Amino acid sequence: MRTHSGALRGLLAASATVIALSGARPALAQEDPAPAQTAQDDGYGLGEIVVTAQKRESSLQDTPVAISAFSGADIAERGITNMSNLQSYVPNLNVGSEQDGVKISLRGIGLQGTTSISDSGVAFYVDNFYVGRPSGGNATFFDIDRIEVLRGPQGTLYGRNATGGVVNVISKAPAQDIEGEVGASYGSREHVELRGMLNLPIAPDVAALRVSAVWSREDGYVKNISTVPGTSDGYGSDGDIALRGQLLLGRPDVIEVLLFGSYLKQNGTGIPMKFLERNIGGPPPTQALLATIPPENPDPLIINNNAPASNDVENKTVFAKATKDFGGVEAVLQIGKMWQTSDLYQDFDGSPVDVSRFRKYEDGDASSAEFRLASTGGGPFSWIVGAYYYKDSTYILRNVKLNGLTPGGMISLPDFILDETGASRTIAGFGSATYAILPEFRVTAGARYTDDRKSGTKVTRGNFGQPFPPDIPNAQFTGIANFDKFNWKLGLEWDAAPDVLVYSSVSTGYKAGGFNISSDASPYGPENITAYEFGIKSDFWDRRARVNLDSFYYDYKDMQLTTLGTFGPSNAPGQFTVNAGKSRIYGIELDTQFKVTRELLLTASYAFTDAKFSALVNRDPRTNILRDLSGNVVPYVSKHTINLGGQYEANLGSSGSITFAANYNWHSKKYLREFNDPVIDLVPSNGRTDVTVTYKVADTGLRITAFVTDLENDVEKTNIYISPGFIGLSAVTSYTKPRTWGIRADFSF
């Protein structure tokens, strides 16, 4: 078995090889630097993306972090319409869902439960506003300036539970130009989308307004063959709407204020449940009724659910951001609030037999405030300091309806009702400083102190008896948990040559613990990570080629793992979180781009990731057997991932241009749970191809795009959900979208 030190030596050797190769190439540019500027001026060189990954603007290639960034043009040309599409372009990004929530992981870290105090290990931001529970986080991307995906712990600058990384979706800001855009799309499964944006300067150099809106609907890709009145033929949308408004006032040298408001309403027609197995359980009458369920349809995208279903999400967000330049120091204050509700109703047994129905209603609000000061002047020393406050409160109602079969016929059992109210509060202070020991050599030190508090109350009514706890009307408990942590980061940067940045860092990350609020209140501890990163970012051949490499090693302690079942000290039903004793994750991510000609761009990336549990003992809820899982693969991690892409623009002269783009993404096998069951948890190796063709009509602002995603039409499982013991502990899954085609037209003015 390969040792950890051997793995590290392998990573360092591979990194050093790439550094040597890339470091030699820029010598060509040193001899005659002028062509590099010319290449960029004539559009031949690779473009530059400005990011705010370190809470200040910098070029993507000058940012010493493993980061993938996509401009608004990239998003449109590659057909990246939402978070699910994005995972085909970012190494080690996985986007799934459970009930009404979006679940994001990076390098195997980040998936969360769906209780009122659950947290993700990947921090999700919309315009730098933290979204703790991203229901509706898979909304359509429109009028986006860029998307930034930071891999690895970002504890010192972002802090709140960012052990796995950060995803930041950044809208286009108001500008001092009159511009607008309208668009429409039509595609598979009667998909229809309407879009619009308008930017208006209100007062020259003082005020500007930008508003955008998207409306969309789709029949859904999972077909329901039930003929029961009130059921849907598919699981899609009855009409989603997203509105965003921004008002920019003032100037940074005096004071600049951005007022932001957004509204999202998703009218989903339900969440399909595809059972991979049928383990009968629950009260005896329910078991008798479950035994009458016919075999599952072998087609993964066909179900027979006999109950009406819906999944409605409403999100309202407002914030104000004030920026003031004091001459060498910039001050930023951002204060905001978010209100979010979701209402999910579904057939809980996923069959044509009326055994069980489930409703989950969630109502929450969150407030946050961040203040920071950052140096803006020149010189060898730069710094940033700040303070952060976050608070959220969430109420969740879960209601399970059960029917049963007796010798006298069908009966209805008393409802199972679980009321849950949880709250989280975070206070943090952070700082980071960079000093240039030499013009080409810099050292960075960062620190953050975080104080977390979680509290909650559970009230359970209507337990059914065995295999659940005895019937106790209004059984309840209240829990409180407090945690605090000091995190740090040390980093080195070296400009090895023009357009070659070498960087390394050691950093720590932390995610607060809590207690099992939906089950038996048993506590679980915080998770901690120490991450070692070593990478290189290089441009060469007059910036017509780019090679970026990042190698990493994670020492992970007490990783939080959540599953659903009826186990634990009190055998209470609900979600149950435990801490894995120790895990180790290491790998290499290589990303390349080549501007072969002015018209042709080629991209290729490869990621190798080895992620395993060093010490973990956990109980599989499907069998209730305690198992030693040491050596098992961390969920949602493929050892090998390859991405190949190409884009060619054909100039048609006075008629405009046509751009052809294709992307192929392949991953090796992965598992969806820590138990690594070869039947239930395994996702075999798979690849998918996305293609877009865009025609730009010259001098008109009109663009027409035809697209196909998943050309192979090969779906795969995205997550595993264990149905609760009311109807037997069975594995349930959902699947990726099959082949999808469409055409969109956009007109800019």
Side-chain angles (χ1 to χ4, degrees), residues 475-536:
Q476 62 181 336
F477 64 75
T478 298
I480 298 176
N482 295 284
F483 307 91
D484 64 272
K485 185 69 176 181
F486 175 81
N487 289 115
W488 53 268
K489 177 178 182 178
L490 294 175
L492 298 174
E493 304 170 43
W494 174 41
D495 295 328
D499 295 327
V500 176
L501 172 68
V502 180
Y503 63 90
S504 64
S505 67
V506 181
S507 60
T508 64
Y510 143 88
K511 185 170 80 169
F515 55 93
N516 286 293
I517 188 171
S518 73
S519 52
D520 66 351
S522 58
Y524 55 89
E527 59 180 33
N528 294 278
I529 181 174
T530 301
Y532 304 85
E533 299 263 351
F534 185 83
I536 176 173

Side-chain angles (χ1 to χ4, degrees), residues 634-652:
V634 174
Y636 296 92
V637 177
S638 297
K639 179 168 283 191
H640 305 281
T641 304
I642 297 172
N643 197 84
L644 302 173
Q647 181 176 305
Y648 180 80
E649 182 176 6
N651 192 326
L652 304 180

Side-chain angles (χ1 to χ4, degrees), residues 339-409:
W339 300 266
Q340 185 168 276
T341 62
S342 62
D343 198 352
L344 167 67
Y345 190 70
Q346 65 185 95
D347 184 335
F348 218 23
D349 55 86
S351 79
V353 180
D354 193 7
V355 181
S356 180
R357 301 185 183 189
F358 173 70
R359 183 192 181 197
K360 179 189 176 187
Y361 173 79
E362 183 171 336
D363 184 11
D365 64 80
S367 304
S368 70
E370 181 171 351
F371 176 72
R372 61 182 183 268
L373 297 170
S375 62
T376 58
F381 184 67
S382 62
W383 53 268
I384 181 172
V385 295
Y388 179 75
Y389 173 83
Y390 176 84
K391 182 179 181 180
D392 72 17
S393 177
T394 303
Y395 167 74
I396 300 177
L397 168 68
R398 297 179 179 90
N399 184 296
V400 179
K401 293 182 178 294
L402 277 185
N403 293 324
L405 183 63
T406 68

Side-chain angles (χ1 to χ4, degrees), residues 607-647:
F608 166 82
T609 310
D610 194 294
K612 292 182 179 179
F613 296 105
S614 303
L616 172 61
V617 176
N618 201 2
R619 194 180 301 272
D620 190 338
R622 297 171 51 245
T623 61
N624 204 32
I625 297 175
L626 195 65
R627 295 174 51 195
D628 183 354
L629 304 178
S630 302
N632 278 16
V633 177
V634 174
Y636 296 92
V637 177
S638 297
K639 179 168 283 191
H640 305 281
T641 304
I642 297 172
N643 197 84
L644 302 173
Q647 181 176 305

Side-chain angles (χ1 to χ4, degrees), residues 154-177:
Q154 308 297 323
T156 55
L157 287 182
Y158 288 87
R160 192 172 198 280
N161 302 319
T163 49
V166 171
V167 176
N168 198 0
V169 180
I170 302 170
S171 309
K172 289 184 178 179
Q176 285 293 324
D177 298 301

Side-chain angles (χ1 to χ4, degrees), residues 113-194:
T114 57
T115 73
S116 58
I117 60 172
S118 298
D119 294 312
S120 172
V122 174
F124 183 71
Y125 287 79
V126 176
D127 291 291
N128 294 301
F129 182 87
Y130 177 72
V131 181
R133 263 163 274 283
S135 295
N138 214 22
T140 300
F141 293 151
F142 176 63
D143 200 31
I144 299 298
D145 182 72
R146 65 188 184 278
I147 299 173
E148 302 176 5
V149 182
L150 286 67
R151 301 185 294 279
Q154 308 297 323
T156 55
L157 287 182
Y158 288 87
R160 192 172 198 280
N161 302 319
T163 49
V166 171
V167 176
N168 198 0
V169 180
I170 302 170
S171 309
K172 289 184 178 179
Q176 285 293 324
D177 298 301
I178 297 177
E179 58 177 319
E181 182 175 333
V182 293
S185 300
Y186 178 80
S188 302
R189 299 171 289 277
E190 300 299 324
H191 170 70
V192 178
E193 182 175 285
L194 303 175

